Amino acid sequence: MLQLSEMPLRASELIKALEKRSAGAGGLVTFTGQVRPEAKSGSVSSLFLQAYSPMTENGIESAIAEAQCRWPLTAVSVAHRIGEMLPGDTIVFVGTASAHRRAAFEAADFLMDYLKTEAIFWKRESTSSGTNWIEPRAEDYSDASRWTEHK
Amino acid sequence: MLQLSEMPLRASELIKALEKRSAGAGGLVTFTGQVRPEAKSGSVSSLFLQAYSPMTENGIESAIAEAQCRWPLTAVSVAHRIGEMLPGDTIVFVGTASAHRRAAFEAADFLMDYLKTEAIFWKRESTSSGTNWIEPRAEDYSDASRWTEHK
Amino acid sequence: MTKLLYFGRLSDITGSAEETLTLPQDVSTAGELRAYLDLRFEAGGALLEPTVRIAVNNELCFDDMSLAGAEEIAFMPPVGGG
Amino acid sequence: MTKLLYFGRLSDITGSAEETLTLPQDVSTAGELRAYLDLRFEAGGALLEPTVRIAVNNELCFDDMSLAGAEEIAFMPPVGGG
């Protein structure tokens, strides 16, 4: 289940919905990412996230399908905030449910790597020293490349 | 923060509390484990979990301290159900917060491995074919041994 | 008339995220459109960078792709992730 | 008087999870207590298994550990995790 939202995301509600859909799965892993208050260029006043529908959704749906193909998952939830947001706001929520603990961990990790590097989003940060568009960090690319080695 | 509880655990409330304590951490990983409806010996009617206080708490606190030493964590939450519970009930909740996504994932994974193999709990399953005490699966031991190779 | 979209930092150069344009007669491929727009916006090559990908009708394409039938053309700089 | 605790499957053998006992004169180590109780409960060696660990006053110990000052002694079969 995928949701792009201009409204605030609440991890507590998203985990509750996932629990309902995965009843009896055994294990459930979530990742919640929040807007950081500090950036390289100073303290963050706001963050703007731009998507390109339906390419953004299609790309994330493909990553979810790949995760479901690689790991035995009983439910997946991806929610991503778009538009204008503030430090501390939840920007992304990923949840995976599986009878196998390891599968749930790896699938959540895999989806986050996709979302941090390949997902179609453009990000503009406003800090005390101005406004800039941000491109992926080298660290994010190397995390994502872990998954292609096993292909 | 560690809590052993005879009352039902709610992941939605636990994640909300962790979010508050880790404000601005960047990333937050949770694992929620539920009592499975099916066991090798048939369908599960109930599960009983026994702890030995304060040894159980001391052991988990040491694992939390080790996780905090290995990874840069801003908050950790471990809640474990004890006593009598039903299929679908949440048996364990682990949450880790860090500025580094990878650290949050690895620390949650590490704590779950500890809880599944070394934590001082005895588990009795009641199924359609009777009642038995359960000891760890070989799979759990091999998961836990991943962490000592790196020592 | 074709809808053009400029994402991320490109909209700082083009001045807007979206415009509707009748493509000039001598622009028939994605690559020719890049060159035309780069000059028009005095972008100094920003639209020519190979990391800026072009999507025609929601499909990524190479520069030799024909623009016949193009209703929406997007200029996409490297994505920043979520 | 010493408090004895039998965890997990051991309580099925001993019939209860907890009892209070005056240790016999000839039982002065953890190992001697194992042997004494295994006979007393007709446990057929279940209390002698090396995987059954003994904790004295909340500290795991070896079989040669003296029981002088022991207030609480726990018999702990392999833990099952959560």
Side-chain angles (χ1 to χ4, degrees):
Chain A
M1 230 187 69
L2 169 62
Q3 170 193 4
L4 297 191
S5 165
E6 303 219 23
M7 301 302 292
L9 299 177
R10 303 204 189 292
S12 55
E13 287 165 24
L14 292 161
I15 201 172
K16 208 183 278 181
L18 183 62
E19 281 186 315
K20 247 176 223 163
R21 287 170 48 223
S22 67
L28 198 150
V29 169
T30 71
F31 178 86
T32 307
Q34 297 153 338
V35 179
R36 297 180 200 211
E38 294 294 333
K40 270 178 210 148
S41 54
S43 82
V44 175
S45 54
S46 73
L47 188 73
F48 173 74
L49 217 78
Q50 191 180 33
Y52 179 23
S53 293
M55 284 187 77
T56 303
E57 289 91 334
N58 291 346
I60 299 173
E61 291 284 11
S62 298
I64 293 175
E66 185 174 349
Q68 283 171 323
C69 168
R70 285 183 176 215
W71 292 282
L73 305 175
T74 53
V76 175
S77 166
V78 174
H80 214 294
R81 183 87 177 270
I82 52 175
E84 202 76 31
M85 61 203 91
L86 299 173
D89 281 3
T90 293
I91 180 170
V92 60
F93 175 91
V94 162
T96 52
S98 176
H100 304 278
R101 180 159 49 100
R102 184 125 320 284
F105 268 111
E106 289 183 1
D109 198 3
F110 168 84
L111 286 169
M112 277 309 304
D113 280 344
Y114 173 82
L115 289 164
K116 290 300 260 185
T117 55
E118 294 181 57
I120 299 171
F121 288 113
W122 296 273
K123 202 151 71 174
R124 190 182 60 210
E125 212 169 55
S126 299
T127 68
S128 37
S129 63
T131 286
N132 11 256
W133 292 95
I134 302 162
E135 301 191 350
R137 299 172 301 160
E139 185 185 328
D140 291 323
Y141 281 125
S142 71
D143 279 351
S145 71
R146 292 181 304 148
W147 305 105
T148 44
E149 286 162 22
H150 305 301
K151 259 183 185 167
Chain B
M1 229 187 67
L2 169 63
Q3 169 194 6
L4 297 190
S5 165
E6 302 219 23
M7 301 302 291
L9 300 176
R10 305 204 189 291
S12 55
E13 286 165 23
L14 292 160
I15 201 171
K16 208 183 278 180
L18 182 63
E19 281 185 315
K20 246 175 224 164
R21 288 168 50 223
S22 66
L28 197 150
V29 169
T30 71
F31 179 87
T32 307
Q34 297 153 338
V35 179
R36 296 182 202 209
E38 294 294 332
K40 270 178 212 151
S41 55
S43 83
V44 175
S45 53
S46 73
L47 188 73
F48 174 75
L49 216 78
Q50 191 179 33
Y52 179 23
S53 293
M55 284 186 77
T56 303
E57 288 91 333
N58 291 346
I60 299 172
E61 292 285 10
S62 298
I64 293 173
E66 185 174 347
Q68 282 170 323
C69 168
R70 285 184 176 214
W71 293 281
L73 306 175
T74 53
V76 175
S77 165
V78 174
H80 214 293
R81 182 87 178 270
I82 52 174
E84 204 74 33
M85 61 203 90
L86 299 174
D89 281 4
T90 293
I91 182 171
V92 61
F93 174 91
V94 163
T96 51
S98 176
H100 305 277
R101 182 158 48 100
R102 185 124 319 282
F105 267 110
E106 289 183 0
D109 198 4
F110 168 83
L111 287 169
M112 276 311 303
D113 280 344
Y114 173 82
L115 289 164
K116 291 300 259 184
T117 55
E118 294 181 56
I120 299 172
F121 288 113
W122 296 275
K123 199 149 74 173
R124 192 182 58 209
E125 211 168 57
S126 299
T127 68
S128 38
S129 63
T131 287
N132 12 255
W133 291 95
I134 301 162
E135 300 190 353
R137 299 172 301 159
E139 185 184 328
D140 290 324
Y141 280 125
S142 71
D143 278 351
S145 71
R146 291 181 303 149
W147 305 104
T148 44
E149 286 160 21
H150 306 300
K151 260 184 184 165
Chain C
M1 299 288 277
T2 308
K3 194 202 248 183
L4 298 184
L5 302 173
Y6 307 106
F7 284 101
R9 57 177 158 83
L10 298 180
S11 61
D12 294 348
I13 295 167
T14 61
S16 72
E18 188 174 330
E19 66 171 331
T20 306
L21 192 78
T22 301
L23 299 185
Q25 290 290 347
D26 57 348
V27 169
S28 64
T29 65
E32 286 164 9
L33 181 60
R34 266 186 207 270
Y36 168 74
L37 293 171
D38 196 73
L39 276 176
R40 177 168 157 246
F41 288 117
E42 299 176 355
L47 289 173
L48 305 179
E49 287 171 21
T51 60
V52 172
R53 294 176 301 172
I54 298 178
V56 173
N57 299 346
N58 288 296
E59 296 278 352
L60 289 176
C61 70
F62 291 107
D63 276 10
D64 57 3
M65 170 82 167
S66 158
L67 295 181
E71 290 172 3
E72 184 174 292
I73 303 174
F75 285 80
M76 304 166 66
V79 293
Chain D
M1 299 288 278
T2 309
K3 194 203 247 185
L4 298 183
L5 302 173
Y6 307 106
F7 283 101
R9 62 178 155 82
L10 298 181
S11 61
D12 294 346
I13 294 166
T14 61
S16 72
E18 186 172 333
E19 64 171 332
T20 307
L21 192 80
T22 302
L23 300 184
Q25 289 290 347
D26 56 348
V27 168
S28 63
T29 67
E32 287 163 7
L33 181 61
R34 265 186 205 272
Y36 167 74
L37 292 171
D38 196 72
L39 275 175
R40 175 168 159 249
F41 288 117
E42 299 176 353
L47 290 172
L48 305 178
E49 287 169 21
T51 59
V52 171
R53 295 176 300 172
I54 298 178
V56 172
N57 300 345
N58 287 297
E59 295 277 353
L60 289 177
C61 69
F62 292 107
D63 276 11
D64 58 2
M65 171 82 165
S66 159
L67 296 180
E71 290 171 4
E72 183 174 294
I73 303 173
F75 285 80
M76 304 165 67
V79 294

